[in-house]
Every structure is written in structure tokens, then in C-alpha cells.
Amino acid sequence: MTEPILSVRGVSKTYASGVHALHAVDLDINKGEIFALLGPNGAGKTTLISIICGIVTPSTGTITVGGFDAIGQPKRARRQIGLVPQELATDMFETVESTCRFSRGLFGHPQKSDHIEEVLRDLSLYDKRKSKIMELSGGMKRRVLIAKALAHEPHILFLDEPTAGVDVELRRDMWKLVHRLREKGTTIILTTHYIEEAEEMADRVGVISGGKLLVVDEKTALMKKLGKRELDIALNEPMSTIPGDLGDWELSLENEGKTLRYVFDAQAERTGIPSLLRKLADLNIGFKDLETSKSSLEDIFVDLVKEGGK
Amino acid sequence: MNVHGILAIYKFEMARALRTLWQSLVTPVITTSLYFVVFGGALGSQIKEVDGIAYGSFIVPGLIMMSLLTQSISNASIGIYFPKFTGTIFELLSAPINSMEMVIGYVGAAATKSVVLGLIILATAALFVPIPIHHPFAMVAFLLLTSITFSLFGFIIGVWAKGFEQLNFVPALLITPLTFLGGAFYSISKLPDPWRTFSLFNPVVYLVSGFRWSFFDKGDVPVGISLAATGGFMLLCLAVIAWIFRTGYRLKN
Ligand SMILES: Nc1ncnc2c1ncn2[C@@H]1O[C@H](COP(=O)(O)OP(=O)(O)O)[C@@H](O)[C@H]1O
Ligand SMILES: [Mg+2]
């Protein structure tokens, strides 16, 4: 395995107010991946990102970015990072172009007009480059924040709740952009409380709740590992109650009794399917179709958060 | 050294002043002219001279000092307070720029504006009264030193302030009274004694005195002491700023 581009070890945070926002988080991010940090509001996503980016001081722990210690060699660590924050904080009186130039300079890069132009075009901001930021809509402001982060060519891009409250068009543009960036080798870490977003976008998902990173895994593996599966049996004759002989299986009736649903653990050695089907044959219950489906990340998420909360 | 970063901040801050160029230039010119009408004209006919210097000329160093102090503080404090207020400070804190570079950018820009302002006031004053400059190098040195020192002080205020009222509080309630009581418009040697000794605890006395010495070769306190007092205050400000960045005081959570 190659060195992770970002490595978080034992990072915890207690705010001055006494809130324990993070409990000893360990996390490795691989180069070039899209990682989604998924968790409900108040889980500690923004806190974790802010600590990695140097905006919040951790109470404990260490962070290594591209081999550089974020505290020992902050400049070399930070040069690689771009952050698009959750809040729409912009310099209202500046123009779109000048604020991007500012970001590029601030991160220690000489000005390069081609690059700024490319970024502005990619984000459909080029026509607005001479506009003052305060004249722009909320969605446009978010584009500006993305442009600022990309202006200094980061290797790792953090997107904190990138699609919260944005219109469909921007959302679509953003996903296109994320994929283009990934093709160029940029590592992307996004936070979201929308499961579909993590499911749709990410290679790997970390589920965070109550300041604890509950699980980190490949998206598909996560679903396989934790996902329950459903077997829908389309019955020939509708049923009103489930026969007592089938009490060994976790069954429910759906679709006005026309479908018998069996929920099973895909991970288990024995799924219980063959024996169930044999039993149905024994009881002379006829069926015309079988269908299995995976449960979504959402189900996994709810399960995990419930467990984590215990 | 992140030179591009320093320049980015410096240019950003200068652009902010240029946007309000009208205000930045015209206000001091009008204010200075008003002071001359009131102090130079109305009072000047009563008080002919102080320490052998025509009253109109005598007040020029004090006038410049007063603007220098208040403007350095307000420029530098707003410069750092505004990003805190709007939330854009996240970018500064996440950027590969160390505290010294950040201070050079912000304080450098604020001090530049103050020096320009001081020169504008000086030029305006020269239209009204003759102004001899006995020690031009010392004059420039005091101008620079004061601008930098009080911009550093302003930076601290900007970090400390939690609201706009607090931002205005220090210049209005501390600096302006100290300047008026600091011999900007009179010589403290003319004061009756408890007040004279009292005045020696006012740091602005040393600034005004040293600056006046560079013009007229005469001051309320020896110039060496003026220089030492100003330098000492600058070191104090630098120490506070170093502490702010080490602890993240009111900048980071
Ligand atoms: N500056 C702060 N001071 C005190 N508590 C904070 C601060 N920022 C966040 N918190 C608290 O820390 C917890 C985690 O917040 P946050 O990281 O913003 O979560 P998320 O981004 O997942 O919604 C919440 O309980 C929140 O109230
Ligand atoms: Mg958040």
C-alpha cells in the first residue's frame, strides 16, 4: 500500500465551551481518492476539517499532510490544501477575479492568469469576473469560494457540505468538477449529511457521529459488510398472516400480502434462503418470482448511528 | 518566506484604502485646515508663541501625531477585525503564511497609509505656516516608527475587539484624550506641577516631544528618551502579537 496523503492520529477536540466535539479520531486518506465524511449535524465534521486545515487547534493528536507534520512544518503541509468552507464567507467588496488572485498569492504562488481564467471558466464565473462579490447570488458565492480554493492548485481539496442549499445546476456542475479534479489526481474530501451524496460520489466513506468516527470503509465494502439484504418473494396467492411454521425467519408481508419479504444478513455464513424455500415448498406456498436488493447506505447509517449512540 | 502571501495581504489592504481614496485624502486635508482656522487663527492671535516658536507652526507636529496615532490604530485594527467579522479569516488561518508574514502584510499596509497621511497633513500645514525641519532624518524616522508602532497596536486591538464599538473605543476614549493631554497643542513645561509630573506618564508626550524636536530642535523631554519610549512600546506590541499567534487568542478556537 502506498503512503496515505493525509494521516490523522488521535485527534480530539474540546472547545473552550466544554463541548467534546471530537473523540480521538484516526483517519488515513489515500492519494487521489474521493472520501466522504458522512454524519448528522453536529457530528464534528467541520471541526475535523478545520483542525486539518489549521483553523482550529486540536486538543490532542497529530496530522501529517503529504509527509509533512501539520504543526512542525505548517507551511509545507498547508500549501497542499484547499478548503471550501461550509459558511459563505467572502470579501464582499472585492471582485471575483481579485479575490481569486488574493487566494493564489496568499498560498505563496506567483500569479498565473491562465490558471485563474481556467478555474473561472470551469465554474461558469468568467463572465462575472469583474463583478463585486456582494452583487452575486448565494450559489454564485459558493462558486467563488470553490474558485478561490482551486486558484492555488491544491493537491487535497476539502469541500465542507458543498451541496447544502445549492441549486440543482450548481450541484451538477460541482460533481462534474469533482470528477475532473480527480482525473487530474486531486484528492477530495467532502462532508455531507446526505447519504445519496456519499453513495453517489465517494470511493470511501467515513461515518461520523457524536465526535466519533464509527466506521471507515470502501463504499461498496461498507454496504456489503453492514448491509442487510432483502429477498422479496412474489406469492401466487396473497397471504393475510404469516404461518407460524415460518417463525424461524425474519419475515414480513408487503404489497397487500402479495409479497413475502425476508430480511437477511448478507455477511452471515448461512443466509437461511435455501431452507426457507424448502419450507415454503413443504407448506405448499407457491411463488412466481424472487428478487434480492441491497439496503442503501442510509439504512447502514441509521444502524451505525443508533449503535454509536448507545 | 511567503513573499507572495505578504504582497497579497499588502495589496488587498491598499486596495481597500484606494476604494475610499476620496475619504482617505480629503478628510485629513479638511480636518487639518479646520485645526488651523481654530487653533492657528483664533487661538494663535491670543498665544503668539510657545518656546519661541510661532503657535501656528508649534502645533503642526502634534497635529500630525494625532492623526498618525488614530489612523494607524483604526486602519490596522479594521484590517484584521474585518476578516474575523465576515468569517474570511478562515483563509488566512489555513494559508501557508506565518504570523510574522501576516503582520508584515497588515501592519505594513496600515503604516504606509499613515505615513502618506502624515505627509499630506504636513503639506497642507505648509500652506498655512512656515515649517522648519531641523532634523529631517529624525523626522522621517519618528514618522515611520510611530506609524509602525501604532499599527502594531491597532492590529492587537483588531484581534481583541469583539464588536465595532470596541474597535472605536480605544482610539476615541484613549488615544484622542491622551493626545490632547500629551502636549500636542501646548508645551507641558507650561503646566502647573501636579499636571506636569502626571503628563510624564502619558506615552504620547514622548512621541509628540520627539517629533517636535525633529522640527524645531526643541522638545519637552530629551529626544533619546522619546526614542527609547517609542521603541519600548513597539517591542511591547511585538511581544503581545507573538503571544497572540502562539496561543491563537481570539483568532482560533
Ligand atoms: N466554535 C465552537 N465553539 C464551541 N462549540 C462548537 C464550536 N464549533 C462547533 N461546536 C460544537 O461542536 C460540535 C460539532 O460541530 P461541527 O464540527 O460544526 O459539526 P458538523 O460540521 O458535523 O455539523 C457541535 O456540538 C457544535 O455545537
Ligand atoms: Mg459542519
Side-chain angles (χ1 to χ4, degrees):
Chain A
M1 240 202 77
T2 51
E3 273 284 285
I5 191 162
L6 170 67
S7 180
V8 173
R9 285 289 167 273
V11 165
S12 73
K13 176 68 187 178
T14 308
Y15 281 107
S17 62
V19 176
H20 291 279
L22 284 180
H23 300 268
V25 169
D26 292 319
L27 178 63
D28 282 325
I29 302 292
N30 303 318
K31 188 167 170 15
E33 74 173 334
I34 300 179
F35 185 89
L37 201 54
L38 176 66
N41 279 325
K45 304 182 295 293
T46 301
T47 301
L48 181 57
I49 285 195
S50 301
I51 289 174
I52 297 170
C53 295
I55 298 164
V56 167
T57 319
S59 304
T60 64
T62 55
I63 290 151
T64 316
V65 186
F68 299 109
D69 182 73
I71 292 160
Q73 292 173 290
K75 283 198 180 184
R76 305 187 100 172
R78 289 174 181 195
R79 258 185 92 114
Q80 307 175 58
I81 294 179
L83 167 65
V84 182
Q86 184 175 356
E87 304 293 334
L88 283 179
T90 51
D91 289 304
M92 296 171 288
F93 304 108
E94 293 292 306
T95 66
V96 171
E97 192 174 5
S98 69
T99 199
C100 289
R101 288 180 181 280
F102 173 79
S103 297
R104 191 175 166 84
L106 195 63
F107 277 72
H109 293 275
Q111 290 307 326
K112 192 165 143 200
S113 299
D114 303 0
H115 177 71
I116 302 272
E117 183 180 331
E118 190 188 324
V119 166
L120 292 179
R121 284 194 192 281
D122 279 352
L123 285 157
S124 315
L125 280 171
Y126 194 68
D127 294 338
K128 299 268 184 205
R129 67 191 183 284
K130 301 283 181 213
S131 304
K132 287 214 167 91
I133 297 173
M134 63 182 169
E135 294 160 6
L136 303 178
S137 67
M140 279 294 186
K141 285 192 184 117
R142 193 162 289 279
R143 285 175 198 253
V144 172
L145 283 171
I146 301 172
K148 277 168 75 73
L150 295 178
H152 53 82
E153 302 175 65
H155 300 158
I156 308 174
L157 181 66
F158 285 90
L159 297 162
D160 197 0
E161 310 255 357
T163 56
V166 309
D167 53 78
V168 182
E169 194 190 350
L170 174 53
R171 213 172 143 144
R172 206 181 325 113
D173 282 4
M174 195 130 56
W175 291 152
K176 274 195 230 149
L177 184 76
V178 163
H179 281 296
R180 234 177 315 160
L181 286 169
R182 198 249 287 269
E183 274 159 32
K184 285 193 211 162
T186 309
T187 307
I188 292 155
I189 298 161
L190 58 99
T191 74
T192 178
H193 56 262
Y194 298 120
I195 285 133
E196 317 83 72
E197 212 160 88
E199 200 162 0
E200 190 179 39
M201 294 299 309
D203 302 314
R204 287 199 309 148
V205 178
V207 179
I208 185 170
S209 179
K212 289 183 192 142
L213 200 53
L214 302 173
V215 64
V216 177
D217 213 335
E218 304 280 327
K219 181 181 63 189
T220 44
L222 185 68
M223 295 209 292
K224 208 188 280 168
K225 190 156 80 186
L226 292 154
K228 295 240 168 85
R229 283 176 178 243
E230 288 164 358
L231 173 68
D232 279 353
I233 303 165
L235 301 169
N236 287 338
E237 309 282 326
M239 237 182 228
S240 54
T241 51
I242 297 167
D245 287 335
L246 297 176
D248 290 346
W249 291 269
E250 193 186 332
L251 294 170
S252 60
L253 283 169
E254 306 289 328
N255 196 11
E256 294 161 1
K258 282 182 255 175
T259 304
L260 186 65
R261 176 169 294 169
Y262 171 43
V263 179
F264 64 97
D265 193 342
Q267 255 191 309
E269 293 241 326
R270 292 166 173 277
T271 58
I273 294 171
S275 52
L276 172 65
L277 297 183
R278 269 198 304 278
K279 192 78 180 177
L280 290 177
D282 288 350
L283 297 171
N284 270 328
I285 300 171
F287 54 89
K288 50 195 174 200
D289 198 11
L290 294 172
E291 199 180 349
T292 62
S293 62
K294 288 179 227 166
S295 67
S296 70
L297 251 176
E298 179 136 26
D299 304 323
I300 299 172
F301 183 55
V302 170
D303 282 353
L304 277 171
V305 171
K306 253 192 274 166
E307 278 172 34
K310 272 180 203 156
Chain B
M1 185 100 165
N2 183 353
V3 177
H4 293 294
I6 295 174
L7 280 176
I9 293 175
Y10 186 85
K11 281 187 200 154
F12 180 92
E13 284 299 296
M14 293 310 279
R16 199 163 60 81
L18 290 179
R19 271 199 299 269
T20 51
L21 188 65
W22 185 240
Q23 204 183 323
S24 325
L25 289 180
V26 174
T27 314
V29 172
I30 293 180
T31 318
T32 312
S33 307
L34 281 174
Y35 272 106
F36 272 104
V37 172
V38 176
F39 284 92
L43 283 177
S45 55
Q46 312 281 320
I47 314 162
K48 287 280 181 274
E49 31 181 62
V50 179
D51 290 346
I53 303 155
Y55 188 64
S57 306
F58 176 84
I59 62 170
V60 172
L63 260 182
I64 297 177
M65 254 322 147
M66 188 162 78
S67 297
L68 227 52
L69 301 190
T70 47
Q71 288 304 308
S72 298
I73 291 176
S74 75
N75 269 324
S77 62
I78 289 175
I80 188 68
Y81 177 76
F82 218 64
K84 279 202 322 174
F85 177 71
T86 58
T88 54
I89 191 146
F90 84 86
E91 198 179 19
L92 289 164
L93 294 176
S94 67
I97 184 159
N98 64 29
S99 46
M100 191 184 66
E101 292 159 348
M102 214 148 104
V103 169
I104 294 175
Y106 278 107
V107 169
T112 306
K113 286 181 253 181
S114 296
V115 169
V116 171
L117 176 77
L119 294 176
I120 291 172
I121 296 176
L122 187 60
T124 312
L127 298 176
F128 291 87
V129 289
I131 303 167
I133 304 178
H134 274 83
H135 306 282
F137 286 111
M139 194 279 279
V140 172
F142 266 109
L143 199 64
L144 283 174
L145 194 63
T146 309
S147 300
I148 293 170
T149 303
F150 281 79
S151 297
L152 287 169
F153 186 51
F155 189 88
I156 296 170
I157 308 262
V159 171
W160 164 78
K162 281 188 168 170
F164 282 100
E165 322 79 59
Q166 291 186 331
L167 219 52
N168 292 325
F169 175 83
V170 174
L173 270 88
L174 193 68
I175 299 301
T176 308
L178 283 182
T179 321
F180 269 94
L181 301 175
F185 303 110
Y186 56 89
S187 166
I188 60 162
S189 58
K190 294 281 178 294
L191 289 176
D193 202 20
W195 300 111
R196 196 184 119 66
T197 314
F198 237 39
S199 294
L200 295 178
F201 289 99
N202 178 352
V204 178
V205 165
Y206 299 91
L207 291 172
V208 172
S209 168
F211 199 46
R212 188 176 290 140
W213 171 86
S214 71
F215 282 86
F216 309 121
D217 198 25
K218 266 184 208 136
D220 287 333
V221 291
V223 65
I225 294 180
S226 285
L227 212 58
T230 317
F233 189 52
M234 179 155 113
L235 292 179
L236 182 69
C237 290
L238 283 173
V240 172
I241 288 176
W243 172 83
I244 285 174
F245 278 101
R246 209 180 52 244
T247 59
Y249 173 78
R250 291 205 180 165
L251 284 178
K252 285 192 190 190
N253 284 308

